[in-house]
Amino acid sequence: MSPRWEPNPDVRRGRHVIYNLHAHLVFVTRYRRGVFNDAMLTRCEEIMRKVCEDFEADLIEFNGEEDHVHLLIHYPPKVALSNLVNSLKGVSSRRLRQEFTGRVNRAIMHGRFWSGSYFAGSCGGAPLAVVKDYIENQKRSETERGPQRGT
C-alpha cells in the first residue's frame, strides 16, 4: 500500500471486497410495553453483542428506553440484514424472557417480546445527492452515454 494512504478503521477488507456498511436498527417491545430497566438493557446489549460476533458484525452503539432499543451495527456484505435482525430479536427475546421472568409478563405480551416490525436505516458515507452527482459525472464518451434522462 502507498505510504500516503491512511487506513480508515471503518473500511473493512474481505478477500474480494472492501466495505463500510452500517445500519441503524430500532426494535420495539410488543404493544410498546415498558419492560426494560437498566439491568435488562445491559443484558440485552451483551446478548446482542454476542449475536453480532456470530455474524462477524460489530455492535458499535447500543441504547434504549423502557419500550425500545437502538443499535448501530457495522456488518459485512455477506450478511443479509434481515437474517441478522431475526437472530438479534429471536435470541434476545428467548434469553430475556428466561432471565427476567418477573418483568416480562407472558400473558400480557401473548408470549412474544418484540413487535413483529422493526426500523432499519442505512447510515454513514456520503449523502445521496453527492453520490448521484458523482455517478452522473463519471467520464464516458457522449456516443456511449445515449439520451439523457429528463430531456
Side-chain angles (χ1 to χ4, degrees), residues 7 41 51 94 101 104 110 120-121 131-132 134:
L41 285 171
V51 171
R94 190 169 47 256
T101 307
V104 182
H110 300 282
V131 175
K132 182 177 178 275
Y134 174 77

Side-chain angles (χ1 to χ4, degrees), residues 134-148:
Y134 174 77
I135 292 170
E136 282 180 357
N137 293 316
Q138 290 297 297
K139 297 254 185 216
R140 187 161 84 171
S141 70
E142 289 298 320
T143 58
E144 293 177 22
R145 187 170 294 179
Q148 295 290 317

Side-chain angles (χ1 to χ4, degrees), residues 10-132:
D10 286 339
V11 176
R12 305 274 171 84
R13 294 175 176 273
R15 197 168 171 166
H16 300 286
V17 65
I18 299 173
Y19 64 93
N20 185 14
L21 300 171
H22 289 86
H24 173 208
L25 303 174
V26 180
F27 303 150
V28 177
T29 58
R30 183 79 165 189
Y31 306 120
R32 284 283 237 202
R33 301 279 188 213
V35 295
F36 283 113
N37 60 15
D38 286 339
M40 277 185 80
L41 285 171
T42 300
R43 182 62 181 134
C44 187
E45 180 179 4
E46 292 169 359
I47 293 166
M48 290 187 171
R49 196 168 295 282
K50 175 66 173 113
V51 171
C52 285
E53 286 175 15
D54 293 344
F55 277 82
E56 298 177 16
D58 291 324
L59 179 58
I60 305 296
E61 195 67 41
F62 177 92
N63 209 342
E65 293 181 18
E66 61 186 22
D67 63 352
H68 69 279
V69 295
H70 291 263
L71 298 86
L72 177 60
I73 295 183
H74 189 211
Y75 65 100
K78 68 182 181 179
V79 171
L81 195 56
S82 61
N83 291 343
L84 177 58
V85 166
N86 287 339
S87 287
L88 286 166
K89 289 172 73 175
V91 172
S92 63
S93 172
R94 190 169 47 256
R95 298 254 172 91
L96 291 173
R97 284 185 290 135
Q98 286 171 351
E99 296 174 21
F100 295 92
T101 307
R103 287 198 61 84
V104 182
N105 186 334
R106 289 180 185 233
I108 292 175
M109 298 178 84
H110 300 282
R112 294 205 167 85
F113 187 82
W114 298 112
S115 167
S117 59
Y118 62 93
F119 168 81
S122 63
C123 46
L128 290 177
V130 172
V131 175
K132 182 177 178 275

